[in-house]
Amino acid sequence: MGPGLLLRGAAALCARGLRAAAAGRLCPLLPRPPARLLRTGGCRCLRAALGPPGQGKPPRSVGRGRGAAHSEEEEEEEEDGEQEDGEEEELEELLAPGPPPGAQRLLVVHPAVKWGAKKPQLTTAELQIAEAVALINTLHNWTVLDKIIMSTKTPDKKFIFGKGNFQILTEKIKGLPHITAVFLNIERLSPLTKKELEDAWGVTVFDRYTVVLHIFRCNARTKEAKLQIALAEIPLLRTNLKNEMSQLDQQRGGSRYIMGSGETFMEMQYRLLKEKEFKIRNALEKLRRKRSVLRTQRRRREFPVISVMGYTNCGKTTLIKALTGDEGLQPQDRLFATLDITAHAGYLPSHLAVIYVDTIGFLSELPHDLIESFSATLDDVAYSDLIVHVRDISHPETVLQKASVLSVLKNLNLPSHLLDSVVEVHNKVDLIERYQSPETNAIAVSALLGYGLEELKGEIERTVLKTTGKNILTIKVNLAGPQLSWLYKEATVQEVDVMPEDGTANVKVIISNSALGKYKKLFPQ
Ligand SMILES: Nc1nc2c(ncn2[C@@H]2O[C@H](COP(=O)(O)OP(=O)(O)OP(=O)(O)O)[C@@H](O)[C@H]2O)c(=O)[nH]1
Ligand SMILES: [Mg+2]
């Protein structure tokens, strides 16, 4: 006789739990959570996903039974949420101010070091200035009027360029009366250099730090992203303050005491800045704690978490959309479109449910302070089960981009097993005729056109099973005994194929090594 009843209910139950877990929610029996993903840092979304207090409580024993253990954390979260309402206004004051109003018309200047140890490898001045232009084009109503590559042997000196080239540049700028600013494509300008250049050129001068920070500010949606930007601004505010104070001191204003306060104007400004920094760090810490609760919840539900990382604009969001079918995702052809970490549920070939985490893109020569203030966002990566490194293989600097990403990953202090098991994806192969990967382990895909996705899912599954110590097995159980309910509790049951004639069932499960050991001990064959 052929197989009897085939029950796929277990997988359906699992799907609900998965959606809830991706949304940071726990109850598998509640109405469907918003399909849109929880932005892990955004408390408003979190509350929306949890629903009104009381609604989000899991029943004591549902499905795989693990949901029951977490309600204390959930309550704590709800309380936190209420408390935050009162703080919302106060925190608004800490957030970075909006971008300066009005359009900017820029000259982009790339200082090129053509000889010696400081000459950049794996790229050219043309590609670097192209990236600088792309950064500006990301910003609404900022336009590049002109661009110039100017060679220099002394990029670290006060005027960046030698005398002759500085003169040529100054004349060029004076000959462009319509520009409102110069974007000097170097990591960071000292306040003194910035001031001297602005005095010489008569327009505002931006460095990479200011431009990237500005893009972040424009793209930030969640409270966490905004707070991180506010934190990244602190060093800038501090150096500005130092500058202003030295000017004030020259006019002998900075050291005067403010009446009755016992502190000078300068001391007061520093104190206010310190207080602001303290508040931002506190608020971020709170959000971080909240995230760690979500992390614990996901762990408990045992959905493997896959962090999708890569250089900005390489196609991370497009790939996750293709792997999960999540229509809420909006890939965009601009740098730093994604600033908030979001989680999205998907399935691997053997119906193993996983959560894909979309992350902020990387950029070479991203100033340290900026990376540091966003490192909290990347905290989650350390707790994932696998990293998928997406590369835009059609980009002329793809090799340099890979090196930048790997160097940031190394500095994130990730566990070595994560770094050793990275799955590398070569994306945008549709843009290259007959693409042949030079790296044998990489998977070639087109996230946009859907090529290579099945192969990628297969590779992700193989690696995830290995790194999480899970097995996919079919176990024959006696339906009269407690085995099936034990498996529902301790593993992920995918299919139950009942044989009514002998009261047994073939049960397809995803089970961890340790659970399998226990099962064998409890139910010896
Ligand atoms: N031709 C082609 N374009 C792609 C492919 N994948 C992504 N893109 C395009 O590349 C651009 C960037 O895609 P995103 O998915 O937003 O890239 P991202 O890595 O998430 O970018 P950030 O969030 O800004 O770091 C979009 O215009 C996509 O349509 C692909 O396989 N082929
Ligand atoms: Mg993105």
Side-chain angles (χ1 to χ4, degrees), residues 188 209 228 231-232 235-236 366-374:
R188 189 101 176 240
Y209 188 91
Q228 284 170 329
L231 188 62
L236 270 187
L366 194 62
H368 248 6
D369 291 340
L370 218 47
I371 295 176
E372 243 163 54
S373 50
F374 271 81

Side-chain angles (χ1 to χ4, degrees), residues 315-318 330-332 337-338 358-359:
K316 300 175 289 297
T317 304
T318 312
Q330 292 171 344
Q332 293 174 51
T338 304
D358 195 3
T359 63

Side-chain angles (χ1 to χ4, degrees), residues 455-466:
E455 194 192 338
L456 175 59
K457 283 185 194 173
E459 177 64 17
I460 292 176
E461 184 166 88
R462 272 188 295 281
T463 322
V464 156
L465 289 176
K466 205 160 34 170

